[in-house]
């Protein structure tokens, strides 16, 4: 059973920052298309502040039926529409993908993948990720690189698949948090700000392959 018009959706947003990933938001369904829902700008359940969403943001959503049952599904941001008020288009789930079981975490795996980074000031460097996921990544780099929260980056991620093929996934990201490590290096946690759906699917495919690999060990 799909959620209906005017129904309230509650969701969390995938983020490299664990605290941010735990924040719950709510938003009303304003309209429905064949492939997606148009929702209002979400509000934090706790603070009442509006939350800006970006193209490709991965969402873990639930809604409550009239009989009080919570139904969960995964979605992501497909686009935006101005209709007097700003609306956000999110992917509509297949009915069979809606479940009564909550997903405990976003699909995210530890991974040391090569990533090329370019800052807004045209500074370029190559480093390695320490985890990747459908909503963002984190990487470890040399401590000399000037990185800070809310900084915008362009990134090219090298994605190797089980069949031996290697692809690049390009995305624009925003630094959520930078941690200075005891080694003198820096860990930067990045959320996707702009990522093509096909590029995002490469990352998700890699995560699924790694997750299956871990399970089969």
């Amino acid at each position: 059973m799909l959620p209906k018009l005017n129904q309230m959706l509650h969701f969390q947003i995938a983020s490299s920052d664990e605290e941010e990933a735990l924040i719950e938001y709510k938003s009303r369904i304003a309209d429905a298309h064949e492939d997606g829902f148009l929702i209002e700008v979400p509000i934090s359940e706790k603070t009442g502040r509006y939350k800006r969403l970006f193209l490709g943001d991965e969402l873990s959503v639930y809604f409550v039926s009239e009989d009080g049952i919570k139904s969960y599904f995964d979605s992501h941001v497909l686009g935006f529409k101005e209709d007097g008020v700003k609306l956000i288009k999110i992917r509509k789930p297949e009915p069979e993908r809606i479940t009564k079981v909550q997903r405990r975490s976003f699909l995210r795996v530890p991974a040391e993948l090569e990533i090329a980074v370019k800052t807004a000031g045209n500074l370029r460097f190559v480093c390695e990720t320490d985890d990747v996921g459908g909503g963002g990544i984190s990487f470890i780099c040399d401590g000399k690189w000037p990185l800070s929260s809310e900084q915008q980056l362009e990134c090219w991620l090298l994605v190797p698949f089980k069949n031996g093929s290697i692809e690049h996934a390009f995305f624009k990201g925003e630094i959520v948090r930078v941690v200075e490590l005891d080694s003198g290096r820096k860990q930067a946690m990045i959320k996707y700000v702009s990522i093509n759906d096909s590029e995002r699917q490469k990352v998700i495919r890699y995560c699924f392959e790694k997750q299956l690999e871990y399970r089969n060990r």
Side-chain angles (χ1 to χ4, degrees), residues 6-47:
N6 295 316
Q7 191 148 19
M8 194 67 72
L9 299 180
H10 305 262
F11 57 87
Q12 292 167 299
I13 306 165
S15 172
S16 298
D17 186 320
E18 290 182 10
E19 289 182 18
E20 185 172 301
L22 291 172
I23 298 173
E24 191 166 291
Y25 299 92
K26 63 181 179 181
S27 178
R28 188 181 66 87
I29 298 176
D31 200 359
H33 293 174
E34 189 174 337
D35 61 340
F37 295 118
L38 287 171
I39 64 171
E40 296 172 346
V41 176
I43 300 174
S44 165
E45 299 261 29
K46 190 174 183 180
T47 66

Side-chain angles (χ1 to χ4, degrees), residues 55-56 76-78 91 134 157 159 161 167-171 192 194-206:
L55 188 68
H76 62 271
V77 177
L78 294 172
R91 185 169 183 157
L157 183 66
V159 188
F161 296 114
E167 296 202 35
H168 286 86
F170 170 74
F171 64 88
Y192 303 140
S194 173
I195 183 168
N196 185 286
D197 208 39
S198 63
E199 304 289 87
R200 184 173 170 276
Q201 289 304 320
K202 294 176 190 175
V203 181
I204 292 173
R205 176 186 161 193
Y206 173 83

Side-chain angles (χ1 to χ4, degrees), residues 60-109:
S60 183
V61 188
Y62 77 84
F63 60 97
V64 184
S65 63
E66 291 178 0
D67 51 5
I69 295 173
K70 285 184 179 180
S71 297
Y72 297 87
F73 64 90
D74 296 329
S75 184
H76 62 271
V77 177
L78 294 172
F80 306 91
K81 181 181 179 183
E82 293 286 346
D83 191 15
V85 294
K86 186 171 184 177
L87 299 175
I88 300 143
K89 186 176 183 181
I90 68 170
R91 185 169 183 157
K92 183 187 288 186
E94 299 294 331
E96 61 269 17
R97 298 297 296 271
I98 296 176
T99 173
K100 301 296 186 288
V101 179
Q102 183 176 12
R103 227 174 107 192
R104 294 296 172 190
S105 62
F106 292 100
L107 184 60
R108 197 170 195 86
V109 297

